[in-house]
Each structure stands twice: as C-alpha cells, then as structure tokens.
C-alpha cells in the first residue's frame, strides 16, 4: 500500500512540475507523517480526526518508492471550508511555518475541511484539503 501511495503522490507532483513550469512538490504533514495516506479508485484519503494532535506543517517532500520524507518547511495559510455552506474562511491572517492542529480543529466540526494555501506559486500542493472526521 505504501508503494502505491508514494507512486501516486510522485505522479501528482511530477504532473504538477510538467504542467505548471517546474513547481516544487510539497505535502501536508501532521508531526512527521504525511497526511494523505491512501489512494483508491475514488481518489485519495486526506483526513484527520477531530481529536488529532501535533503540529501541522507543509513541507517540500523527498519521495522514493518506499517512503515520503519531509524536507523543508514552507510558509502557508490555513482556512476552514464549512461542510454545510461550503464557505471558506481564513483561520488566521498569520502566515504559518507550523500550527498546533488542535487550535485549528477547535474551530471545526466533523465534515469541515482544513484548506492549506501556499504563499508562493513555486510550490505544488496537490492535496490541500484535509477532511475533518
């Protein structure tokens, strides 16, 4: 399963590099684990529990056939997409290098999505919406 995950993540980032003039692949991490953790025929699994803890970061990634490794943290903004109305609201005007995920989740309910925004077009972040379950 991990090899398939890495292969698909690599494909998404490789596609973004070809299609968008050399973007650097990045991904969301909770602690030292990449948030997106499963790819299926219906899409990808990019979700966290309402009770999750740790630091949420966006990092450039080193992808290999066996693992995905965070390399460098990059600045990002956080927004919350409300489940019922689909309204997207900034969590904070602050630019983050890391944020306590519980602070973000305290403003969420199940079914909402945490939306991560890069601040520089050089970074591809193909899996930028995280479902709160």
């Amino acid at each position: 399963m991990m090899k398939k995950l890495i292969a698909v993540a690599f494909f998404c980032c490789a596609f973004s590099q070809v299609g968008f003039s050399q973007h650097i692949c990045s991904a969301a991490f909770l602690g030292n684990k990449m948030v997106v953790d499963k790819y299926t025929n219906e899409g990808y699994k990019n979700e966290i529990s309402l009770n999750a803890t740790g630091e949420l970061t966006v990092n450039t990634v080193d992808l290999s056939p066996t693992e995905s490794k965070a390399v460098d943290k990059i600045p990002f903004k956080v927004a919350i997409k409300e489940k019922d109305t689909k309204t997207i609201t900034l969590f904070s005007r602050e630019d983050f290098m890391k944020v306590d995920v519980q602070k973000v989740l305290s403003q969420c309910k199940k079914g909402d999505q945490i939306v991560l925004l890069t601040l520089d077009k050089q970074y591809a972040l193909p899996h930028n919406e995280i479902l709160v379950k």
Side-chain angles (χ1 to χ4, degrees):
M1 176 58 104
M2 183 57 133
K3 284 184 181 181
K4 186 175 180 181
L5 169 68
I6 299 302
V8 175
F10 182 76
F11 174 77
C12 290
C13 285
F15 176 77
S16 69
Q17 288 179 354
V18 170
F20 300 105
S21 69
Q22 296 302 318
H23 281 78
I24 299 167
C25 188
S26 62
F29 283 77
L30 185 58
N32 62 357
K33 186 174 184 241
M34 195 164 69
V35 175
V36 63
D37 68 352
K38 184 190 291 183
Y39 286 86
T40 67
N41 294 337
E42 293 82 40
Y44 58 91
K45 182 179 172 189
N46 201 28
E47 57 189 34
I48 59 175
S49 164
L50 198 54
N51 301 318
T53 59
E55 289 183 344
L56 185 61
T57 60
V58 176
N59 299 277
T60 59
V61 290
D62 181 15
L63 300 172
S64 76
T66 57
E67 69 177 340
S68 58
K69 192 167 91 174
V71 180
D72 294 316
K73 290 181 181 162
I74 63 171
F76 63 99
K77 287 199 179 284
V78 178
I80 297 171
K81 184 176 183 180
E82 206 268 337
K83 175 188 172 191
D84 297 325
T85 66
K86 306 295 186 227
T87 301
I88 300 174
T89 308
L90 273 176
F91 164 73
S92 168
R93 292 180 187 258
E94 184 178 346
D95 297 345
F96 295 99
M97 293 299 280
K98 62 183 178 181
V99 63
D100 181 343
V101 76
Q102 270 301 303
K103 289 182 180 179
V104 178
L105 290 169
S106 71
Q107 296 186 24
C108 296
K109 62 183 179 307
K110 286 185 181 184
D112 289 351
Q113 293 183 354
I114 298 170
V115 181
L116 304 174
L117 308 166
T118 62
L119 304 181
D120 189 323
K121 288 184 178 185
Q122 73 175 324
Y123 299 108
L125 182 58
H127 309 298
N128 57 9
E129 295 183 352
I130 303 167
L131 177 65
V132 177
K133 61 178 188 163

